[in-house]
Amino acid sequence: MPTTLFILKALEGRGAERMVTTLASAYVKMGHSVHVLCLEATQDMPLDANIHYHLVPYDEVFTEQNFASESKQAQAYKAVAQRIDSYVLSHIGTPDLILANIYKVNWIMAYSRLPNIINVLHTALSKQFEQQLLDMPAQTIHHLRMVYGAHPCSCVSDGARNDLLALLGNITQTTTIYNPCDAAWIQSQALLTPRIEPFGLRDKQYIVHVASFDTMKGHRDLLHAYAKTARKLPLVLIGKGRLEAEIKALVRQLNISRDVIFLGFQSNPYPFMASAALLVLTSKFEGFGYVIVEAQALGVPVISTDCPFGPRELLPNENLVAVGDIDGLARLIDKAVNARSRHTVPLNQQLLPTVIAQQYAAFALSAKASGSKD
C-alpha cells in the first residue's frame, strides 16, 4: 500500500488546507495510507476518518523573518526538520510521496533528509515577498533559491510557476498541478446545516465573498466598489482574520451597514455559497483562487479581480476586472447581478480529485527518474 504524507502548518480554513483535505481523501479512495502532519494544533477543517493525523509542534515564534543561513530562525527550523524526520520514520515509515505545503513548511523541509518530497507552491512568490525583494533583494533571492531549490516544486497555476521561474531561475524540476475540486462532496455539504434562513438570507438574493480578513483578499476594494453599485442585493462576508475590526469600521464609514452582513468563519461555507446569487473574489494576488472552482461546482455565477495568477486560468475575460479598478468592479458586480447566467462558468472536469492525485503521483515518479534532488 503506497504511503502519502501531507505536511502543513495547521488545518486552518484556507485554500491550501482545503487542497490538502480534498487530495488526502482522494488518495484514501485510491487505496493509499494517508497521513497529515501539522506543526500547530489549530484544526478548523475536518479530516476523513481514514486519514491519520499527526502533530509535531515547532514551538518557535519569530516576529521578524531573518533569511540568514545561520540565523536563530534558520537554526530552529533545522531542528524542527530533524524532529519531523525522526517522527516520520518512527511513526509512519518512509512515505512514497511527501507534499510540503506553505512557505514556512517549505523552508523547514529544505533541511529534511526524507526522500520523495515535493514542495507545493500555493501563491506567487514575487507578490508574497514583494517588500522583502525591495528591501533586501539579494538576500531574499538567495534564501528563496535555497528553499525552493531543495526539492521538486509543483505550482497551483501556470502563473505561479512562471513567476517562480522568472524570479529564481530554473533551480529545480517544476510543474503546474491545479488544486483539486471535489464537486460531489461540495454539493453534498451545501445541503447540510447551517441553513441560510436564520441569518436573514433568502435564496439567490445576496452576493457572497468568502475569504480571511487579510490585506491580499482585497476587502477594502470590494467595499468601496460595492458602495458604488445599485446595491440590489446585500453583500455577505464570510471569514475571520486580523483586519476584521478595520473592515467593519470601513463599512460604517461608507454608510453601507444595512447592506453588509458579517457571518464570521463558517466551517461549512457551502450552503451560503450555493444559495448566493453571485460570488465575488477581490484578491490582490492568488496562487489559484479556490472559491472560484467551488462556486463553479455549485453552479453559482462568479466574478473576480484579474489578479496574479489563478483567476485568469479559471474564468473568461468578461468575468474579470483589473485589480484596483474600483469603478470597473462596481460595474461588473451590477452587470453580473443583472445577467447571472452569462457569468456562470462550468467546472473543468480535469480538476476532480482523482485526476489531480494521479498528476502528483506521476510528477513524483518523473522527478525521481530524472534524478532531481529530493
Side-chain angles (χ1 to χ4, degrees), residues 266-298:
Q266 297 290 329
S267 59
N268 180 15
Y270 302 115
F272 301 100
M273 293 171 64
S275 295
L278 174 69
L279 183 139
V280 183
L281 180 71
T282 54
S283 297
K284 305 286 188 182
F285 66 92
E286 287 281 353
F288 181 66
Y290 228 125
V291 292
I292 292 176
V293 296
E294 292 176 331
Q296 291 171 342
L298 294 168

Side-chain angles (χ1 to χ4, degrees), residues 96-265:
D96 299 281
L97 173 63
I98 300 173
L99 296 180
N101 297 267
I102 302 297
Y103 156 71
K104 187 175 290 186
V105 173
N106 299 148
W107 183 358
I108 290 169
M109 296 309 290
Y111 306 120
S112 171
R113 295 190 177 185
L114 294 172
N116 308 321
I117 297 173
I118 291 176
N119 281 327
V120 183
L121 183 60
H122 289 270
T123 191
L125 288 178
S126 67
K127 296 297 181 181
Q128 183 178 1
F129 292 91
E130 189 169 23
Q131 192 59 51
Q132 293 92 328
L133 287 164
L134 289 173
D135 294 343
M136 44 183 185
Q139 187 179 2
T140 302
I141 291 291
H142 177 78
H143 169 73
L144 292 175
R145 282 179 174 161
M146 183 278 293
V147 170
Y148 290 102
H151 309 293
C153 187
S154 173
C155 305
V156 297
S157 65
D158 282 331
R161 179 171 179 257
N162 291 333
D163 179 73
L164 168 70
L165 294 172
L167 184 65
L168 305 181
N170 190 21
I171 57 172
T172 189
Q173 187 169 348
T174 62
T175 192
T176 298
I177 302 178
Y178 290 130
N179 280 332
C181 181
D182 190 342
W185 182 82
I186 289 170
Q187 291 159 7
S188 71
Q189 294 299 298
L191 301 175
L192 303 178
T193 54
R195 303 307 307 156
I196 67 170
E197 293 80 10
F199 295 89
L201 303 176
R202 292 182 296 152
D203 189 49
K204 303 303 178 186
Q205 294 299 310
Y206 61 90
I207 301 164
V208 70
H209 180 268
V210 184
S212 57
F213 287 94
D214 187 272
T215 304
M216 65 169 283
K217 295 300 182 180
H219 286 84
R220 294 186 66 84
D221 286 357
L222 170 62
L223 292 174
H224 279 288
Y226 178 72
K228 293 188 173 189
T229 68
R231 280 187 270 160
K232 288 185 176 181
L233 301 176
L235 173 64
V236 173
L237 302 180
I238 296 176
K240 65 178 181 178
R242 60 186 180 86
L243 299 182
E244 185 171 350
E246 178 183 314
I247 298 305
K248 287 181 176 178
L250 179 59
V251 167
R252 294 190 294 271
Q253 179 185 330
L254 293 172
N255 197 28
I256 53 175
S257 298
R258 290 185 180 182
D259 299 314
V260 179
I261 302 169
F262 290 83
L263 293 189
F265 173 78

